[in-house]
Amino acid sequence: MTAISSTTSPAGSSNSTAARAFPTRANYTAWLSQKQKRLAQEGREDVAHQRTLEREKEWIAASPKARQAKSKARYQRYEELLKQASEKQTQTAQITIPVAERLGQNVVDFEGLTKGFGERLLIDDLTFKLPPGGIVGVIGPNGAGKTTLFRMITKQETPDRGTITVGESVHLGYVDQSRDSLDGKKSVWEEISGGNELILLGKREVNSRGYCSSFNFKGADQQKKVGALSGGERNRVHLAKMLKSGANVLLLDEPTNDLDVDTLRALEEALEDFAGCAVIISHDRWFLDRIATHILAFEGDSHVEWFEGNFQDYEKDKMRRLGQDSIIPHRVKYKKLTR
Ligand SMILES: Nc1ncnc2c1ncn2[C@@H]1O[C@H](COP(=O)(O)OP(=O)(O)O)[C@@H](O)[C@H]1O
Ligand SMILES: [Mg+2]
């Protein structure tokens, strides 16, 4: 077991929340095949869905080297990504994330960042720069300080020492972990669309019903009252609202919690094509393996490690640095705060 794997098995389960975590590759592949077969039997011709499954299989079949190359290519070719994003405008039933403004070279700079609460030092002298095309996975045990880092970026918290400099071109998009900013009396469609049949995604007008359905709210689901939604459904409403805001730096705090597998894969795909930077707190190692170009790891004793590569590469590096046992999960330990 590793720090980020989960205990639920998707095999033999039709429960959507169980489908978000996959303990082993063999298990997962079996589950995918099963699901594909079932869909075929039901005669369902859900093209987008089939495409997602095909993509999953391809990814599984790819060598670790190929996967690594893919993640590197992404942020090393930010210019190309921008170009592609403006050309690639017609995607069916998939999430697309519009971008308002191109990012300059200075996205967010962290310099000697130090933060604690009371006796606990959470972050000790952290220095790194977010790259324009980076997809950064933030990992670490509960209580390590991950959400606090986001709250410092959005200026809801202040550093004890050091600085966070947000570049001029940056438009932050933040989905709060508490997810309490929705109006319970509105319908899903009203909440996401603001009551408009057409909404602006970047420079493009799209039908708001179609936009809702790309977050898996189809037909009557769009009329459900927000107050009556499950956690996963609320999560999707939040994502839909935030992703249409035109932000070019996304801060996602555990977006993979309670997401059904279709929305999760659609989100992954959208992030891959996203012409901006995303920072994502997640415990889902499959998600991190596939899309992360960098890892920011709260490793304990107030140390936060900045690493270039996906989760798999990070773990390898951590074992090399700290030994085999270092990837076994531990409860978080803090250094005493010295002021
Ligand atoms: N405003 C606050 N005042 C005091 N302690 C806080 C405050 N916000 C967070 N903490 C504490 O700081 C630690 C890190 O919290 P948090 O950043 O939410 O962790 P994570 O998101 O990694 O689970 C926790 O022990 C939490 O209780
Ligand atoms: Mg948190």
Side-chain angles (χ1 to χ4, degrees):
M1 285 284 285
T2 62
I4 302 229
S5 68
S6 162
T7 49
T8 41
S9 161
S13 168
S14 57
N15 175 328
S16 67
T17 51
R20 74 188 133 87
F22 313 105
T24 68
R25 182 180 296 196
N27 239 345
Y28 181 66
T29 312
W31 173 80
L32 275 180
S33 299
Q34 216 178 36
K35 186 162 181 182
Q36 222 165 9
K37 211 155 95 192
R38 197 178 66 231
L39 284 174
Q41 280 165 355
E42 289 168 1
R44 268 178 63 181
E45 286 187 39
D46 187 337
V47 176
H49 189 81
Q50 287 292 346
R51 205 162 75 98
T52 306
L53 293 180
E54 280 306 325
R55 217 180 118 258
E56 301 251 290
K57 280 191 170 168
E58 265 170 39
W59 190 86
I60 288 163
S63 68
K65 257 221 154 64
R67 288 180 207 156
Q68 196 178 33
K70 198 176 162 206
S71 111
K72 274 228 168 85
R74 191 199 135 80
Y75 68 89
Q76 283 171 355
R77 292 187 283 115
Y78 179 60
E79 294 300 316
E80 260 173 63
L81 206 64
L82 273 168
K83 196 158 151 273
Q84 274 171 16
S86 60
E87 284 166 0
K88 197 168 168 181
Q89 302 227 323
T90 46
Q91 287 267 340
T92 49
Q94 297 286 329
I95 301 172
T96 43
I97 312 173
V99 193
E101 192 182 335
R102 97 195 324 269
L103 281 168
Q105 271 310 303
N106 296 319
V107 182
V108 186
D109 284 17
F110 302 78
E111 185 66 50
L113 184 69
T114 299
K115 177 69 177 174
F117 288 115
E119 288 270 275
R120 288 171 167 176
L121 182 60
L122 299 174
I123 300 170
D124 189 14
D125 194 17
L126 171 63
T127 298
F128 73 100
K129 276 165 84 84
L130 285 181
I135 303 273
V136 180
V138 182
I139 62 171
N142 287 334
K146 304 180 298 297
T147 298
T148 301
L149 180 76
F150 276 14
R151 292 174 61 83
M152 285 192 285
I153 299 171
T154 58
K155 303 201 163 49
Q156 294 165 281
E157 289 285 353
T158 46
D160 292 337
R161 278 196 294 272
T163 54
I164 300 178
T165 310
V166 179
E168 271 180 22
S169 61
V170 170
H171 297 278
L172 288 173
Y174 180 41
V175 173
D176 201 291
Q177 197 177 25
S178 56
R179 299 182 187 116
D180 48 12
S181 60
L182 300 177
D183 183 348
K185 291 191 283 299
K186 284 192 179 154
S187 73
V188 166
W189 175 76
E190 282 170 329
E191 184 69 44
I192 295 174
S193 68
N196 303 308
E197 287 296 332
L198 289 176
I199 53 173
L200 208 57
L201 279 194
K203 295 187 178 79
R204 192 162 55 103
E205 278 203 319
V206 301
N207 179 288
S208 62
R209 310 254 172 208
Y211 183 71
C212 290
S213 70
S214 68
F215 290 85
N216 218 358
F217 289 112
K218 310 239 157 78
D221 287 349
Q222 297 185 4
Q223 297 318 316
K224 274 196 197 168
K225 289 279 181 273
V226 168
L229 298 179
S230 70
E233 288 169 327
R234 291 179 74 84
N235 195 354
R236 280 188 273 139
V237 173
H238 270 289
L239 266 178
K241 282 184 74 175
M242 195 212 50
L243 296 183
K244 81 177 176 50
S245 71
N248 53 16
V249 176
L250 305 176
L251 304 178
L252 303 171
D253 198 336
E254 308 200 18
T256 60
N257 284 0
D258 319 308
L259 274 194
D260 58 284
V261 75
D262 289 344
T263 308
L264 189 53
R265 296 306 166 243
L267 175 63
E268 273 179 21
E269 209 167 320
L271 286 169
E272 279 184 352
D273 292 338
F274 174 50
C277 174
V279 189
I280 305 157
I281 299 173
S282 179
H283 295 282
D284 183 338
R285 77 161 289 164
W286 278 85
F287 187 75
L288 294 168
D289 263 347
R290 257 191 295 232
I291 66 165
T293 61
H294 297 73
I295 297 286
L296 188 69
F298 285 70
E299 292 189 335
D301 289 325
S302 318
H303 176 69
V304 184
E305 179 85 6
W306 172 246
F307 179 80
E308 186 180 320
N310 70 5
F311 181 74
Q312 207 173 349
D313 305 329
Y314 161 76
E315 267 202 333
K316 237 183 273 163
D317 183 72
K318 190 179 184 192
M319 275 197 285
R320 185 186 57 71
R321 280 185 294 124
L322 305 172
Q324 283 281 343
D325 290 349
S326 71
I327 64 165
I328 298 166
H330 294 289
R331 274 187 52 188
V332 63
K333 274 192 288 185
Y334 310 92
K335 270 209 308 215
K336 276 254 165 115
L337 189 65
T338 48
R339 288 188 198 268

